[in-house]
């Protein structure tokens, strides 16, 4: 009898574990924003580009074998990670600046008219909750979907779209919440970050020097976020007391990515720098100059950290030294497009989008990148220039 019970328990665990591993329950996949998921052992990393036909602001979400991404016009697309081919699309019939979150075959996305739930098997919207604009990427916690709205409300809905939590805070809640041990952390344009219990009681609030558009990350009993006042803040989770702050000299729109094991937090700024700070005291370990605003949130894999810049470059650095391993500029300088969308990683495949409307797949392990349409444009421009120069030279020589 006990043997049968044990075997039954093992079967249940085996059935449940893949589901838990596949979910993309928040912005950048977790409270640390590392945006990394182990790929299947038989997954082949291919190099490809996909045209969304619209600028990409939203960050992709990974679920099973697909990348899910949405355009500002509200067109949701499911793209095969291995081939780069579109599997299906859906018009959400509302503009969006939110990134998708996925749990158990349900995709949740914020739009101008509220939050929508999409069944990714039927490719249909199963419900929508109407409220003001939702730029906040939802967070899934204990069967409740938490998100903020421009109306200043922090909401929690169950899987049927019914309200479980509704609390008016302040300003516009454009950042994405994190939920840890029944406590919700979310920041606002009123320059405050709030700590709320899931039972709706407020624990504390902390005021920075300017609006907060950087989504908080959680590590080692502390909450870390950036502010438009140019500082990165680290607060004690229990009382909101300031542990440290570090001045990065310009707006910090990028959200932090934290490495608990290395005691590091990685974050960009409008100064054009990408900086690694010590999570314990805010000491700067190193800083890399990208030369233009860094507003994307970094993805982390092993010793590598990847992020995009407004100069059109995707950078991959050594996370310990800050030295560049390689970079990829699909615009080939002539046709640069800002990268504000945040990269995500599945196994050895890194995916990111840019303002030109293309989604790219590259091999982060072998430093292999795809060709781009902009490369062919650049070659065409070069050929035209060479022809023009040749014609001018011929005419000048003909006059002699």
């Amino acid at each position: 009898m006990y043997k049968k019970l044990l075997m039954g328990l093992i079967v249940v665990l085996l059935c449940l574990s893949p589901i838990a591993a596949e979910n993309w329950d928040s912005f950048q996949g977790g409270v640390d924003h590392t945006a990394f998921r182990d790929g299947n052992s038989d997954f082949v990393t291919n190099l490809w580009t996909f045209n969304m036909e619209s600028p990409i602001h939203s960050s992709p979400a990974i679920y099973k074998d697909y990348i899910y991404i949405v355009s500002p016009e509200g067109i949701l697309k499911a793209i095969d990670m291995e081939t780069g081919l579109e599997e299906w699309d859906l018009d959400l019939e509302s503009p969006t600046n939110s990134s998708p979150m996925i749990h158990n075959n349900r995709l949740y996305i914020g739009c101008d008219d509220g939050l929508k739930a999409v069944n990714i098997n039927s490719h249909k919207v199963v419900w929508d909750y109407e409220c003001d604009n939702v730029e906040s990427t939802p967070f899934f916690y204990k069967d409740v979907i938490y998100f903020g709205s421009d109306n200043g409300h922090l909401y929690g809905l169950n899987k049927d779209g019914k309200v479980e939590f509704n609390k008016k805070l302040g300003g516009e809640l454009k950042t994405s919440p994190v939920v840890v041990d029944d406590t919700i952390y979310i920041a606002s344009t009123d320059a405050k970050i709030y700590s709320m219990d899931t039972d709706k009681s407020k624990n504390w609030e902390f005021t920075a020097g300017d609006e907060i558009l950087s989504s908080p990350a959680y590590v080692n009993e502390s909450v870390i976020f950036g502010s438009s006042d140019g500082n990165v803040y680290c607060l004690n989770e229990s009382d909101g007391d300031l542990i440290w702050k570090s001045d990065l000299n310009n707006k910090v729109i990028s959200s932090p990515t934290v490495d608990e094991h290395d005691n590091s937090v990685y974050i960009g700024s409008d100064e054009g720098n990408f900086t690694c700070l010590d999570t314990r005291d805010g000491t700067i370990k190193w800083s890399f100059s990208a030369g233009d605003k860094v507003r994307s949130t970094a993805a982390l894999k092993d010793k590598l950290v990847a992020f995009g810049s407004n100069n059109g470059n995707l950078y991959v650095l050594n996370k310990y030294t800050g030295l560049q391993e390689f970079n990829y500029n699909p615009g080939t300088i002539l046709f640069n497009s800002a990268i504000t969308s945040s990269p995500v990683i599945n196994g050895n495949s890194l995916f990111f989008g840019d303002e030109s409307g293309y989604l790219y797949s590259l091999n982060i392990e072998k430093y292999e990148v795809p060709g781009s349409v902009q490369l062919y444009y650049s070659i065409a421009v070069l050929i035209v220039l060479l022809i023009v120069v040749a014609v001018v030279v011929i005419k000048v020589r003909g006059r002699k």
Side-chain angles (χ1 to χ4, degrees):
M1 178 179 176
Y2 292 109
K3 185 176 180 180
K4 289 182 179 179
L5 287 173
L6 180 60
M7 290 299 296
L9 180 61
I10 291 173
V11 169
V12 169
L13 290 174
L14 288 173
C15 291
L16 289 177
S17 56
I19 295 174
E22 287 174 341
N23 291 325
W24 194 264
D25 282 338
S26 66
F27 173 66
Q28 295 299 90
V31 299
D32 51 9
H33 296 164
T34 55
F36 172 73
R37 193 190 76 169
D38 283 318
N40 297 326
S41 57
D42 59 348
F43 186 87
V44 178
T45 298
N46 287 327
L47 312 178
W48 50 256
T49 62
F50 178 85
N51 188 4
M52 281 287 288
E53 301 179 346
S54 181
I56 297 176
H57 302 144
S58 169
S59 299
I62 296 172
Y63 187 70
K64 296 183 178 177
D65 292 330
Y66 298 94
I67 280 283
Y68 293 85
I69 194 161
V70 65
S71 73
E73 295 77 21
I75 305 301
L76 171 68
K77 292 183 181 286
I79 302 161
D80 188 301
M81 283 195 291
E82 187 169 4
T83 65
L85 298 176
E86 180 180 319
E87 182 73 11
W88 56 271
D89 67 0
L90 174 67
D91 187 351
L92 298 172
E93 300 181 349
S94 178
T96 178
N97 282 306
S98 173
S99 298
M101 178 272 283
I102 308 172
H103 187 91
N104 288 359
N105 296 315
R106 280 275 181 90
L107 182 148
Y108 303 91
I109 183 80
C111 298
D112 273 12
D113 58 2
L115 189 83
K116 298 180 187 291
V118 177
N119 185 312
I120 62 176
N121 291 325
S122 66
H123 315 160
K124 294 180 179 179
V125 174
V126 292
W127 56 256
D128 58 78
Y129 179 80
E130 293 185 5
C131 61
D132 284 0
N133 179 43
V134 177
E135 292 187 29
S136 171
T137 300
F139 192 104
F140 192 95
Y141 182 79
K142 292 186 177 179
D143 293 328
V144 177
I145 303 104
Y146 294 95
F147 63 96
S149 169
D150 280 5
N151 62 14
H153 283 257
L154 173 61
Y155 294 101
L157 309 180
N158 64 24
K159 63 180 181 180
D160 298 317
K162 305 300 181 183
V163 177
E164 299 283 343
F165 184 104
N166 183 356
K167 186 72 174 180
K168 179 70 167 73
L169 299 176
E172 298 177 345
L173 303 178
K174 295 181 179 294
T175 67
S176 303
V178 293
V179 190
V180 181
D181 296 332
D182 296 332
T183 303
I184 312 161
Y185 305 95
I186 191 167
S188 173
T189 59
D190 67 359
K192 293 182 179 179
I193 181 167
Y194 298 89
S195 170
M196 304 283 305
D197 280 342
T198 52
D199 66 4
K200 304 178 186 178
S201 60
K202 185 163 72 173
N203 295 318
W204 50 260
E205 61 183 53
F206 175 90
T207 304
D210 203 343
E211 66 177 2
I212 304 171
L213 300 173
S214 168
S215 297
Y218 179 92
V219 63
N220 296 331
E221 301 180 350
S222 60
V223 182
I224 301 176
F225 62 95
S227 167
S228 292
D229 67 9
N231 287 296
V232 179
Y233 294 87
C234 179
L235 309 180
N236 187 299
E237 66 164 355
S238 60
D239 52 20
D241 283 351
L242 180 67
I243 299 174
W244 55 260
K245 71 175 180 177
S246 182
D247 186 359
L248 298 188
N249 302 317
N250 209 323
K251 291 182 179 180
V252 181
I253 308 298
S254 168
S255 299
T257 299
V258 294
D259 185 345
E260 177 181 1
H261 305 293
D262 193 44
N263 296 311
S264 294
V265 55
Y266 306 91
I267 196 164
S269 76
D270 280 11
E271 182 77 1
N273 294 326
F274 181 76
T275 303
C276 175
L277 304 164
D278 194 305
T279 57
R280 294 165 294 189
D281 57 14
T283 301
I284 294 179
K285 294 184 176 182
W286 52 257
S287 188
F288 174 87
S289 177
D292 204 343
K293 297 175 182 177
V294 177
R295 292 190 165 184
S296 80
T297 299
L300 195 63
K301 171 183 165 56
D302 300 330
K303 69 172 185 177
L304 303 175
V305 59
F307 64 95
S309 169
N310 280 21
N311 63 12
N313 280 281
L314 185 283
Y315 294 97
V316 178
L317 311 182
N318 183 300
K319 74 174 186 180
Y320 299 112
T321 64
L323 297 177
Q324 181 175 301
E325 297 286 338
F326 75 99
N327 78 296
Y328 175 46
N329 185 325
T332 61
I333 300 177
L334 289 178
F335 300 97
N336 282 347
S337 294
I339 303 171
T340 56
S341 170
S342 304
V344 297
I345 303 172
N346 181 82
N348 292 330
S349 297
L350 182 146
F351 307 94
F352 75 96
D354 65 14
E355 292 285 332
S356 72
Y358 283 89
L359 182 70
Y360 305 90
S361 168
L362 56 86
N363 189 316
I364 192 173
E365 188 73 18
K366 296 182 178 179
Y367 305 166
E368 295 175 341
V369 301
S372 66
V373 174
Q374 295 92 325
L375 173 62
Y376 303 121
Y377 292 159
S378 297
I379 293 173
V381 169
L382 179 60
I383 292 172
V384 170
L385 286 175
L386 289 174
I387 292 172
V388 170
V389 170
V391 170
V392 171
V393 170
I394 291 171
K395 285 186 175 181
V396 169
R397 287 179 176 176
R399 291 173 183 172
K400 292 181 179 180

